Amino acid sequence: QEEGARTFYWISHGAPADPVWTYFLQGAEQWATDTGHSVNTSFHSGDVPSHQEAVRAAIAAGADGICSTSPDPGSLVDVVAEARAADIPIVNFNTSDEAPDWNAYVGGDLLSIGRQWAQYLVDNQLVQEGDFVWMPVEVPGASYGVEEERGIAEVFEPLGITWEVTDATLDQAEIITRMTDYLTANRERISAIIGLGDLVTGSVQRVFDQAGIPAGEIPVVGWGNSLDTTQAVMDGYVNAAMWQDPQATSYMCLSSLLMESSGIPIGFDVLTGALYEAETAQLYHGIMGGQ
Amino acid sequence: MANSTSALPAHPPRPGALRAFVSKPEFGPLVLLVGMIVVFTSINPAFLSLTNIGNALTFTVELGFIALAMTLLMTAGEFDLSVGSVFGFAPVVMWTLVNTGTMPLGLAFLVALLLALGIGLISGLFVTRLAIPSFLVTLGMLLVVRGTALWLTDGFPQRTWNAGEQWLAQVLVGEICMGGEGVGCAGGLRIYMSLIWFAIIAVAFHYLLTGTRFGNWIQATGGNPGAARNRGVKTGRVKIILFMLSALLAAFAGAISSIRVSAANPNSGTGYELEVIAMVVIGGTVLTGGRGTIVGTVLGVLILRLMRNGIVMIGVPGLAYNIFIGAIILGMMALHSGLERRHNPGT
Amino acid sequence: MANSTSALPAHPPRPGALRAFVSKPEFGPLVLLVGMIVVFTSINPAFLSLTNIGNALTFTVELGFIALAMTLLMTAGEFDLSVGSVFGFAPVVMWTLVNTGTMPLGLAFLVALLLALGIGLISGLFVTRLAIPSFLVTLGMLLVVRGTALWLTDGFPQRTWNAGEQWLAQVLVGEICMGGEGVGCAGGLRIYMSLIWFAIIAVAFHYLLTGTRFGNWIQATGGNPGAARNRGVKTGRVKIILFMLSALLAAFAGAISSIRVSAANPNSGTGYELEVIAMVVIGGTVLTGGRGTIVGTVLGVLILRLMRNGIVMIGVPGLAYNIFIGAIILGMMALHSGLERRHNPGT
Amino acid sequence: MAGANGDILVDMRNIEKSYGGVHALRGVNLSIRRGEIVGLLGDNGAGKSTLIKVLSGAVPYTSGEIVIKGRPVRMRSTLDAIANGIETIYQDSALVPQLSIARNLFLGRELRKGPRFLDRLDLDRMNGVAAELLRRVGISKNIPPTTPIGSLSGGERQAVAIARAMYFESDLIILDEPTNNLGVAETQGVLRFVREARDTGHSCVFIAHNIHHVFQVVDRIVVMRRGTIVSDDLSPRTSSIQEVEDIITGEPVAA
Amino acid sequence: MAGANGDILVDMRNIEKSYGGVHALRGVNLSIRRGEIVGLLGDNGAGKSTLIKVLSGAVPYTSGEIVIKGRPVRMRSTLDAIANGIETIYQDSALVPQLSIARNLFLGRELRKGPRFLDRLDLDRMNGVAAELLRRVGISKNIPPTTPIGSLSGGERQAVAIARAMYFESDLIILDEPTNNLGVAETQGVLRFVREARDTGHSCVFIAHNIHHVFQVVDRIVVMRRGTIVSDDLSPRTSSIQEVEDIITGEPVAA
Ligand SMILES: Nc1ncnc2c1ncn2[C@@H]1O[C@H](COP(=O)(O)OP(=O)(O)OP(=O)(O)O)[C@@H](O)[C@H]1O
Ligand SMILES: Nc1ncnc2c1ncn2[C@@H]1O[C@H](COP(=O)(O)OP(=O)(O)OP(=O)(O)O)[C@@H](O)[C@H]1O
Ligand SMILES: [Mg+2]
Ligand SMILES: [Mg+2]
């Protein structure tokens, strides 16, 4: 390592094999290459104790700064306080959590993202009062789905729209099978689908094909940080999808840390995210390396 | 009297074919399967519709491949926790080779299978030469293989969109539509070539286990390794071959699955190991080795997968899914144990 | 000659204390642990810093509680896959009761522990009364318990904000700062009360296994159940008690963890079962029962957790993490097997 | 040897036992008197082990009655047998290979010390008694009582099982082929023990295929064939080895 | 019984074997001639089983040399022994409980039919041979050869192991306490088999604690004590049972 190179820790509650996290990781690695500082990355698959342990390991190692997601609302209050006490800047990214005393937050506002999906369905008259919406999620109970569901509830509850969250798992073949089963059983009942994770939204096209449902018969919105989803949006299987700026989120988080560790405090949050439809999908397709 | 002994050696007296059938170890699982189908169909008749059957069988056989090989391995007294990760690893390798233009699909498929054989060989060598429990070896191997798949792809899924047109894809998972029409084979029964492969391999393995010398060695290796070794059976070699076979079939299943679902995700196959072992055990193969049944495993595979399909079909609340799966496993096992007891009251 | 036999019955002649020590089953894991610490420290000296030690020990002991109980259960010849889900389930119940104002924390804690005992009782009854393999029973139980936790909370995590101030929280996981100051106990060694609980339970279990009648029964139950039963040992009851103990300690660990990390998520504990079993096996307890060692398990727990901590400390890239963990497990086991062989060349 | 009713320790009446299809015991009647050594003989598969397993509660019986000291007893498990003063040394699976000799000896009835509920194994005393017993049963080599059973030779294991029955002096001691793997010295140790037991008022059932051993100790010989008792009052004093062998193989009856 | 060198089938020279701390064999020399039945006697733990396990490749030896038919042989595994015409019936763990009698009999050398590579087990022939062998070894009950070993009585199992050695007629057949659990008829079957084997030119090593059985068949008696051979040319024709017993227990030597 060259003189003056600093070490930052990038700690994620995501699963290493969750494709969207690959884009986040890419941003972090790009940043390390660009700046010459080193970034130690780790994934904790939603395991709170091991996530906490990693943050504390970073504090023990005397990190110059820490980028961390929040595996669960409120779960990092103490460790963030310890980092601050040790004069190590710590910035929250990807999943917001008000409780700890972060230096800043970089990423989407999950509550508002949930609200946007629901509102999109309502505004475009894709669902009406009394309808039923199906919301598959990879890991039920994980923070992202939970926050999003809250946002969705704010819109749907007053309209009397009901919904069900189902467990799709993180395994692609299993996801497709379970979603196909569910669609086959409930095809008549479902007015719309909200994919609460990238893997589920990205599987919609294959599920429709498998269940023999033509594109567009059931409206779909959800996460859109994968090539599968951008393709599905372009092909009409998914009506609108949410872009989270994953690479940018990591990059900005680390940049703000570098700035902070150089003595320029960050006093603001950076919010990301954009809901795209078929016309703009090509842009995000390109960012992720698709043709 | 000496005469009567040698006259009928191969055919012991049968106290009624029905009774013999009932006392077979596969009888319990069969009753469970039939009972389950009856219950689900009575709640939602669509459970037995052609579309649903075709759909349910698709993924079933992919796990089934692994379960078949695991049956042989478990009969020899070992098991393999790394099959799920090999299931994810093999297609990732295959499609990386294809997508980077390094080689055509057929060759890449072979390379993936060869790598899987290598993985099985290493597990087998660790277990037999170093005498490390297969639990630890294959758990370590699980992590290494899964990690390698991630590291190889940087975590990105490999795209497999145009697989469908290749001849190999047709041979492995070509669709066969019987009596239906259109994209989803509406109104008919759509099956994949993989089902036919599954049937072929199941018959072959059944025959291997019960009718060949190697099958005899597998059972002896699991039943009493000391005795088998004393008789000159190379128990180490038997186990190594079975570890390789189990990795091979996991890779084969992974490749098939990746072509069918058009996705090669380094993460796929997570957690399959426990499900596959559960299938084998429900079928009547014992965890500690010595006794195994391919017929039972086929029943076990169908029981566990149709159960998952049926639970969704009858409309169990989404978040209660696991409760039902778990409760059904427990309930069925209790029933099974009851059946066993009834026709074997002596012990 | 008859005299010399009865004069020293309790103390067989020792060919040097060192040799006796080397031939103990715990020697292998100890060497592995020391070697690992040396390697990590030489790469990153902060690995041995007080802060890091305090940090690494925190989560270690929470998994350690489960491993201690699992050691006893595995010595009796069974294992429990449902511990991870109980680890997640118990705190969810506890905090749901507290947050809805139904009862105070202390009472809710007791209720959670009682529920866990019930879960263990059911697993135990299924295994012993219905003679179903513990693999299937506890896999089914895993799904039921995990599903119940999800269904109970509708998937929403429970908030545990103000746990820190309660007396029970202090008793279970109060912080003790030695030599440091300020919020993070900077410069000193911070340990939690849970470490002390772990030490107490480890000593108690070691004593239970080696020095009491119940411990003798545990080993006999796993070693030769038929013989144990013939001697009047109630092997069924032994197993049931141990299933209950294992669920109890999983719930205890879950409650402690939830208070410490201020989160009660229905998903927590996923996958712990395999890690805990790996810890126990690395420590030298055999999967098939009969032989178990608490000292070995403590070493196994430290080995696996410090390995994970060390890998983060020395900056292994996130995606390669699993490769390293897996490779280290395989490498350590190979070393272990080498050690075993060297000091036991006869067999 | 007196015929008085009060002398009968165990009375098995019309015991039937089937294993699935195999009819292992077909209405067996057997009484054992106090202080009597009964030799139970019969060819392989005759039902000897099954009969004594029924008596010691290790195997459930299909029908029949067991009366001990005049009281009818339902044998549901080995605990019932132990509670009724019946100690058994099984032909197979009697020991736990991983446990030490001393722990095996005391399995199920461990010696303890310390206050109740906090009591612990009295390993010193257990090891001491074990060493003494090993010597008494005739194991001449210096085997420490802390050795695991798994590393003993076949005969040494059998000797340990014998030592156990010696220690827990019960009303009735059942030995299923106890001399099977034993050498000359160990065999003499067992036979001596059986005689000692009788002399102190205990009863014994002794199963062995080696008729020479049987003839050296028993008071009465009972012969089984195919699940029934075909002869139950032979005495080694009045019958010859050849006569008994003929009854066992069924020659004179068949001829 | 001729002393010519060409008659020596197996020559074990200065064999040493330690199990960790236990010195089980201390420089054992033993030759076995063609067509000779050697009785190997000794108390429990004398090293008999260890010696024959070394000879049959089941256990590695620490040092020493084994010469078979004049050629030095390195015994690395049981396969080496089988290849050199040595067949062994072990005292323990000789059978696979889950497999049928016929499959156990042929384990390792299954009968097959059909084209090479597609060959399959010839179960009909295996079952036929098995039934015939069971009859020859003297199991009188009608046990079908498809019965799993696990449901046989102890003696029946031993008989199956014997039947196996009968079928695979080897140069040297080693029997480690083969009559241990056998009844009168089965024991006679084994002894008959051993004599038959000798008469057709095979050699045998016969281990048993029942000296009466040994005296009925062997040509020469070898006695071991504590890992060494203390006497290797006793003949049942010239020595009495009492004399041999004294040598086994070491009485005259110690006195
Ligand atoms: N667990 C079992 N299951 C089925 N059949 C059994 C079982 N145990 C014994 N048998 C059968 O019951 C009959 C009697 O067996 P038992 O063991 O009582 O004979 P035994 O007289 O003790 O013979 P041995 O002298 O060989 O020990 C035999 O035919 C045997 O095959
Ligand atoms: N696997 C083993 N590990 C350690 N020690 C062993 C092992 N096998 C045998 N021994 C020891 O080696 C010595 C010789 O045992 P061996 O089995 O050869 O005796 P044996 O003459 O066959 O006795 P028996 O008549 O009781 O069968 C004994 O002291 C025994 O305890
Ligand atoms: Mg018997
Ligand atoms: Mg022996």
Side-chain angles (χ1 to χ4, degrees):
Chain A
Q1 275 182 15
E2 48 191 286
E3 256 324 274
R6 302 177 201 169
T7 304
F8 296 94
Y9 281 76
W10 180 96
I11 298 164
S12 156
H13 76 283
D18 185 346
V20 69
W21 277 105
T22 324
Y23 294 111
F24 279 101
L25 183 65
Q26 229 179 23
E29 284 170 350
Q30 185 65 48
W31 185 87
T33 319
D34 291 353
T35 61
H37 298 294
S38 55
V39 179
N40 290 344
T41 56
S42 59
F43 289 105
H44 298 278
S45 307
D47 190 353
V48 181
S50 109
H51 192 110
Q52 275 198 355
E53 187 184 337
V55 176
R56 290 206 166 111
I59 300 172
D64 290 293
I66 300 169
C67 269
S68 171
T69 61
S70 167
D72 246 345
S75 59
L76 294 182
V77 178
D78 290 347
V79 288
V80 171
E82 286 159 26
R84 299 298 298 268
D87 269 337
I88 297 171
I90 180 163
V91 173
N92 183 204
F93 75 105
N94 172 272
T95 34
S96 65
D97 180 2
E98 316 271 293
D101 181 26
W102 308 99
N103 290 69
Y105 173 69
V106 181
D109 178 348
L110 294 173
L111 203 75
S112 113
I113 285 169
R115 222 182 288 124
Q116 287 180 58
W117 285 328
Q119 204 62 55
Y120 178 91
L121 291 176
V122 173
D123 291 350
N124 291 285
Q125 266 118 54
L126 297 171
V127 293
Q128 279 121 40
E129 277 195 58
D131 274 354
F132 172 80
V133 177
W134 174 37
M135 308 188 338
V137 64
E138 292 104 357
V139 187
S143 57
Y144 64 97
V146 168
E147 290 291 304
E148 289 150 20
E149 190 185 344
R150 274 204 197 111
I152 292 166
E154 285 178 19
V155 179
F156 281 173
E157 252 169 14
L159 292 174
I161 294 172
T162 57
W163 68 89
E164 179 171 45
V165 176
T166 66
D167 182 358
T169 77
L170 272 166
D171 180 75
Q172 189 113 38
E174 184 78 48
I175 290 174
I176 292 171
T177 306
R178 285 204 194 176
M179 287 177 65
T180 309
D181 288 350
Y182 192 89
L183 260 187
T184 312
N186 300 293
R187 186 168 173 176
E188 309 307 324
R189 200 155 73 98
I190 299 172
S191 311
I193 300 171
I194 302 181
L196 292 186
D198 279 301
L199 276 173
V200 283
T201 320
S203 300
V204 161
Q205 181 166 358
R206 301 182 184 97
V207 171
F208 277 22
D209 287 351
Q210 176 102 15
I213 295 175
E217 184 186 299
I218 301 175
V220 182
V221 296
W223 279 111
N225 310 298
S226 72
L227 287 170
D228 286 344
T229 311
T230 49
Q231 189 70 51
V233 172
M234 291 188 282
D235 294 349
Y237 287 88
V238 174
N239 299 54
M242 179 63 67
W243 175 249
Q244 210 184 352
D245 294 300
Q247 294 109 319
T249 303
S250 283
Y251 206 99
M252 293 298 290
C253 182
L254 288 161
S255 295
S256 62
L257 278 180
L258 184 61
M259 187 171 86
E260 176 88 38
S261 67
S262 301
I264 308 170
I266 28 165
F268 53 89
D269 290 346
V270 181
L271 288 185
T272 62
L275 195 65
Y276 62 85
E277 295 178 289
E279 306 87 74
T280 43
Q282 183 60 47
L283 169 65
Y284 303 106
H285 202 62
I287 295 177
M288 289 184 286
Q291 278 85 47
Chain B
M1 180 175 144
N3 239 1
S4 81
T5 314
S6 53
L8 292 165
H11 309 285
R14 295 200 186 178
L18 179 69
R19 194 174 155 163
F21 175 64
V22 166
S23 72
K24 279 209 180 289
E26 292 87 1
F27 177 70
L30 184 63
V31 171
L32 297 181
L33 179 63
V34 172
M36 204 180 70
I37 292 177
V38 169
V39 169
F40 282 140
T41 311
S42 67
I43 297 179
N44 182 352
F47 180 71
L48 263 194
S49 70
L50 288 180
T51 327
N52 191 50
I53 291 177
N55 174 31
L57 285 180
T58 321
F59 185 40
T60 301
V61 300
E62 289 163 13
L63 278 173
F65 286 121
I66 314 180
L68 291 178
M70 188 75 89
T71 305
L72 300 187
L73 184 59
M74 282 171 59
T75 306
E78 304 288 344
F79 57 85
D80 188 349
L81 295 178
S82 71
V83 286
S85 64
V86 172
F87 182 97
F89 172 76
V92 157
V93 168
M94 180 170 97
W95 288 107
T96 307
L97 290 175
V98 172
N99 290 347
T100 55
T102 316
M103 50 180 75
L105 184 60
L107 215 55
F109 177 68
L110 280 184
V111 169
L113 294 189
L114 282 177
L115 278 176
L117 284 176
I119 292 169
L121 178 65
I122 296 173
S123 298
L125 287 174
F126 264 86
V127 170
T128 58
R129 293 289 152 82
L130 302 180
I132 312 174
S134 56
F135 178 87
L136 284 179
V137 170
T138 58
L139 183 62
M141 196 49 95
L142 183 168
L143 295 168
V144 170
V145 171
R146 173 78 64 214
T148 309
L150 279 176
W151 171 80
L152 209 70
T153 58
D154 262 343
F156 289 102
Q158 288 293 317
R159 335 206 67 214
T160 64
W161 287 130
N162 356 351
E165 277 75 59
Q166 311 238 17
W167 64 268
L168 183 69
Q170 284 303 323
V171 170
L172 291 179
V173 274
E175 290 184 19
I176 301 169
C177 178
M178 298 193 290
E181 52 184 312
V183 185
C185 186
L189 177 65
R190 174 176 57 179
I191 60 168
Y192 290 92
M193 281 295 292
S194 50
L195 182 61
I196 291 165
W197 285 106
F198 177 75
I200 292 173
I201 295 182
V203 170
F205 278 17
H206 174 73
Y207 174 69
L208 181 75
L209 188 58
T210 58
T212 71
R213 186 168 73 160
F214 189 65
N216 212 32
W217 289 9
I218 293 174
Q219 294 176 60
T221 300
N224 187 344
R229 229 173 293 119
N230 284 342
R231 303 312 304 165
V233 173
K234 298 205 173 90
T235 56
R237 192 178 296 175
V238 167
K239 287 183 180 178
I240 291 176
I241 290 176
L242 294 181
F243 271 111
M244 291 171 71
L245 196 62
S246 121
L248 180 73
L249 276 192
F252 183 70
I256 283 186
S257 185
S258 79
I259 295 175
R260 181 178 62 81
V261 308
S262 322
N265 191 315
N267 197 28
S268 23
T270 307
Y272 285 12
E273 51 279 358
L274 291 188
E275 174 144 13
V276 166
I277 295 176
M279 289 167 168
V280 177
V281 175
I282 284 185
T285 298
V286 293
L287 255 179
T288 44
R291 201 146 26 108
T293 148
I294 290 286
V295 177
T297 295
V298 171
L299 294 172
V301 169
L302 289 175
I303 288 173
L304 268 195
R305 290 311 310 180
L306 291 186
M307 179 171 90
R308 289 180 181 272
N309 172 280
I311 279 186
V312 176
M313 291 300 289
I314 66 175
V316 160
L319 288 180
Y321 181 84
N322 278 332
I323 307 185
F324 276 75
I325 299 280
I328 292 182
I329 291 183
L330 289 178
M332 289 203 315
M333 284 297 97
L335 192 71
H336 188 159
S337 130
L339 284 174
E340 288 274 292
R341 214 162 271 216
R342 217 169 41 76
H343 75 71
N344 198 8
T347 341
Chain C
M1 178 174 145
N3 239 2
S4 80
T5 315
S6 54
L8 291 164
H11 308 286
R14 293 202 188 178
L18 179 69
R19 192 173 157 164
F21 174 63
V22 166
S23 72
K24 280 211 179 286
E26 292 88 1
F27 177 70
L30 185 63
V31 170
L32 297 181
L33 180 62
V34 172
M36 203 181 68
I37 291 176
V38 168
V39 170
F40 281 137
T41 311
S42 67
I43 298 178
N44 184 350
F47 181 71
L48 262 195
S49 70
L50 288 180
T51 328
N52 190 52
I53 291 177
N55 170 32
L57 285 181
T58 321
F59 183 39
T60 300
V61 300
E62 289 164 12
L63 277 174
F65 286 122
I66 313 179
L68 291 179
M70 188 74 88
T71 306
L72 300 186
L73 184 59
M74 281 170 59
T75 306
E78 305 288 343
F79 58 85
D80 187 349
L81 295 177
S82 71
V83 287
S85 63
V86 173
F87 181 96
F89 171 76
V92 157
V93 167
M94 181 170 94
W95 288 108
T96 306
L97 290 175
V98 172
N99 290 346
T100 56
T102 315
M103 50 180 77
L105 185 59
L107 215 55
F109 177 69
L110 280 183
V111 169
L113 294 189
L114 282 177
L115 279 176
L117 283 176
I119 291 169
L121 178 65
I122 296 173
S123 297
L125 287 175
F126 264 85
V127 170
T128 58
R129 292 288 152 82
L130 302 181
I132 311 175
S134 57
F135 177 87
L136 283 180
V137 170
T138 58
L139 183 63
M141 196 51 93
L142 183 167
L143 295 169
V144 170
V145 171
R146 174 76 65 214
T148 309
L150 267 180
W151 173 78
L152 209 68
T153 58
D154 256 343
F156 288 92
Q158 287 296 315
R159 324 207 120 209
T160 62
W161 294 135
N162 351 347
E165 277 74 60
Q166 311 239 17
W167 65 267
L168 183 69
Q170 286 302 325
V171 170
L172 292 179
V173 276
E175 291 183 17
I176 301 169
C177 177
M178 298 192 289
E181 52 183 314
V183 186
C185 186
L189 177 65
R190 173 179 54 185
I191 58 168
Y192 289 91
M193 281 297 292
S194 50
L195 182 61
I196 291 165
W197 284 107
F198 177 76
I200 293 173
I201 295 182
V203 170
F205 278 18
H206 174 72
Y207 173 70
L208 181 76
L209 189 59
T210 59
T212 71
R213 186 169 73 160
F214 189 65
N216 213 33
W217 289 8
I218 293 174
Q219 294 176 59
T221 300
N224 187 345
R229 229 172 293 119
N230 283 342
R231 302 310 305 163
V233 174
K234 300 208 173 88
T235 56
R237 192 178 297 177
V238 168
K239 288 183 180 178
I240 290 176
I241 291 176
L242 294 180
F243 271 110
M244 290 171 72
L245 197 63
S246 123
L248 180 73
L249 277 190
F252 184 70
I256 283 188
S257 188
S258 79
I259 294 175
R260 184 177 63 79
V261 308
S262 321
N265 187 311
N267 271 319
S268 49
T270 308
Y272 286 9
E273 52 279 356
L274 290 188
E275 175 144 12
V276 166
I277 296 176
M279 288 167 169
V280 177
V281 175
I282 284 183
T285 298
V286 292
L287 256 179
T288 44
R291 200 145 25 109
T293 147
I294 290 287
V295 177
T297 295
V298 171
L299 293 172
V301 169
L302 289 175
I303 288 174
L304 267 195
R305 290 313 307 181
L306 290 186
M307 187 168 86
R308 288 182 185 271
N309 172 281
I311 278 184
V312 175
M313 292 292 291
I314 66 176
V316 164
L319 286 179
Y321 184 79
N322 277 333
I323 306 186
F324 274 72
I325 301 271
I328 292 181
I329 290 183
L330 288 179
M332 288 204 313
M333 283 298 98
L335 190 71
H336 190 158
S337 131
L339 285 173
E340 287 274 290
R341 213 163 274 219
R342 217 169 40 76
H343 76 71
N344 197 8
T347 340
Chain D
M1 222 146 293
N5 203 30
D7 273 303
I8 302 270
L9 179 66
V10 171
D11 196 9
M12 302 176 78
R13 293 177 192 157
N14 212 18
I15 304 287
E16 298 265 344
K17 167 71 190 171
S18 298
Y19 291 106
V22 183
H23 206 158
L25 297 178
R26 306 160 187 262
V28 171
N29 291 292
L30 177 64
S31 349
I32 300 158
R33 299 189 195 89
R34 250 182 223 285
E36 180 189 43
I37 306 181
V38 175
L40 188 54
L41 297 176
D43 258 341
N44 297 127
K48 306 180 298 295
S49 296
T50 304
L51 181 64
I52 61 97
K53 278 183 184 163
V54 164
L55 182 55
S56 56
V59 143
Y61 43 110
T62 316
S63 70
E65 201 186 358
I66 298 177
V67 178
I68 297 181
K69 296 179 209 160
R71 275 186 308 112
V73 172
R74 179 88 208 155
M75 289 284 172
R76 254 174 263 91
S77 77
T78 44
L79 286 179
D80 290 334
I82 292 174
N84 280 292
I86 298 176
E87 185 74 23
T88 313
I89 299 165
Y90 294 96
Q91 187 176 8
D92 42 27
S93 83
L95 299 166
V96 181
Q98 293 92 344
L99 290 181
S100 73
I101 295 178
R103 281 171 181 259
N104 262 290
L105 273 172
F106 289 93
L107 183 58
R109 267 166 300 168
E110 289 80 358
L111 301 182
R112 287 179 288 172
K113 63 182 177 193
R116 201 154 148 62
F117 293 118
L118 272 175
D119 52 355
R120 54 192 194 279
L121 293 180
D122 192 345
L123 283 172
D124 284 347
R125 202 145 60 88
M126 281 163 58
N127 286 330
V129 172
E132 172 61 25
L133 281 170
L134 287 180
R135 208 178 42 71
R136 243 178 90 194
V137 90
I139 287 196
S140 45
K141 251 196 339 169
N142 189 348
I143 303 179
T146 51
T147 315
I149 291 288
S151 62
L152 299 186
S153 83
E156 289 161 354
R157 288 181 203 203
Q158 194 67 291
V160 171
I162 303 287
R164 182 158 64 189
M166 281 192 173
Y167 185 73
F168 297 108
E169 298 181 347
S170 316
D171 292 332
L172 173 64
I173 302 172
I174 303 176
L175 303 106
D176 193 355
E177 311 199 14
T179 55
N180 247 355
N181 298 287
L182 295 191
V184 177
E186 286 86 352
T187 301
Q188 290 311 325
V190 171
L191 299 182
R192 193 174 352 103
F193 156 65
V194 173
R195 274 185 225 106
E196 264 177 34
R198 188 228 347 244
D199 294 347
T200 50
H202 304 285
S203 309
C204 267
V205 174
F206 185 94
I207 304 181
H209 286 300
N210 189 327
I211 300 191
H212 300 275
H213 295 168
V214 174
F215 263 66
Q216 283 182 47
V217 286
V218 306
D219 298 316
R220 181 162 65 108
I221 291 174
V222 174
V223 179
M224 291 187 74
R225 202 158 62 229
R226 308 209 180 171
T228 51
I229 290 183
V230 292
S231 162
D232 86 339
D233 54 359
L234 296 168
S235 159
R237 267 172 297 268
T238 56
S239 306
S240 75
I241 289 188
Q242 190 54 47
E243 277 167 25
V244 174
E245 280 198 349
D246 286 348
I247 295 177
I248 292 172
T249 51
E251 306 253 316
V253 179
Chain E
M1 222 145 295
N5 202 31
D7 273 304
I8 302 271
L9 178 67
V10 171
D11 197 8
M12 301 176 78
R13 293 176 191 158
N14 210 19
I15 304 288
E16 297 265 343
K17 167 70 191 172
S18 297
Y19 290 106
V22 183
H23 205 158
L25 297 179
R26 307 160 187 261
V28 171
N29 291 292
L30 178 64
S31 348
I32 300 158
R33 300 189 196 90
R34 247 182 226 287
E36 179 189 44
I37 305 181
V38 175
L40 188 55
L41 298 178
D43 256 341
N44 297 124
K48 307 179 297 296
S49 295
T50 304
L51 181 65
I52 60 99
K53 277 183 185 164
V54 163
L55 182 55
S56 55
V59 142
Y61 43 111
T62 315
S63 69
E65 200 187 0
I66 298 177
V67 179
I68 297 181
K69 296 179 207 157
R71 276 186 307 112
V73 173
R74 180 87 209 152
M75 288 284 172
R76 254 175 265 90
S77 77
T78 44
L79 285 180
D80 291 334
I82 292 175
N84 281 291
I86 298 176
E87 186 73 25
T88 314
I89 298 166
Y90 295 95
Q91 187 176 8
D92 41 28
S93 82
L95 299 166
V96 181
Q98 293 92 343
L99 290 181
S100 72
I101 295 178
R103 280 171 182 259
N104 263 290
L105 273 172
F106 288 94
L107 183 58
R109 269 168 298 169
E110 289 81 357
L111 301 181
R112 287 179 288 172
K113 63 182 177 191
R116 204 155 147 58
F117 293 118
L118 272 175
D119 52 356
R120 55 192 194 279
L121 292 179
D122 192 345
L123 283 172
D124 283 347
R125 202 144 60 89
M126 281 163 60
N127 287 330
V129 173
E132 172 61 25
L133 281 170
L134 288 180
R135 205 177 45 72
R136 245 177 89 192
V137 92
I139 288 197
S140 47
K141 251 195 339 169
N142 190 350
I143 303 180
T146 49
T147 314
I149 290 289
S151 63
L152 299 186
S153 84
E156 290 161 353
R157 288 181 203 202
Q158 195 65 295
V160 171
I162 304 286
R164 181 158 66 189
M166 280 191 174
Y167 185 74
F168 298 107
E169 298 181 347
S170 317
D171 292 333
L172 173 64
I173 301 172
I174 302 175
L175 302 106
D176 193 355
E177 312 198 14
T179 55
N180 248 354
N181 297 288
L182 296 190
V184 177
E186 286 87 351
T187 301
Q188 289 311 326
V190 171
L191 299 182
R192 195 175 351 103
F193 156 65
V194 173
R195 272 186 227 108
E196 263 176 33
R198 189 232 340 249
D199 295 346
T200 50
H202 306 285
S203 309
C204 267
V205 174
F206 185 93
I207 304 180
H209 286 300
N210 189 328
I211 301 192
H212 300 274
H213 294 168
V214 174
F215 264 65
Q216 282 181 48
V217 285
V218 306
D219 298 315
R220 181 161 66 105
I221 291 174
V222 174
V223 179
M224 291 187 75
R225 202 158 62 230
R226 307 207 181 174
T228 52
I229 289 183
V230 292
S231 162
D232 86 339
D233 54 359
L234 296 168
S235 158
R237 266 171 298 267
T238 56
S239 308
S240 75
I241 289 188
Q242 190 54 48
E243 278 167 26
V244 174
E245 279 197 349
D246 286 348
I247 295 177
I248 292 171
T249 50
E251 305 253 315
V253 180

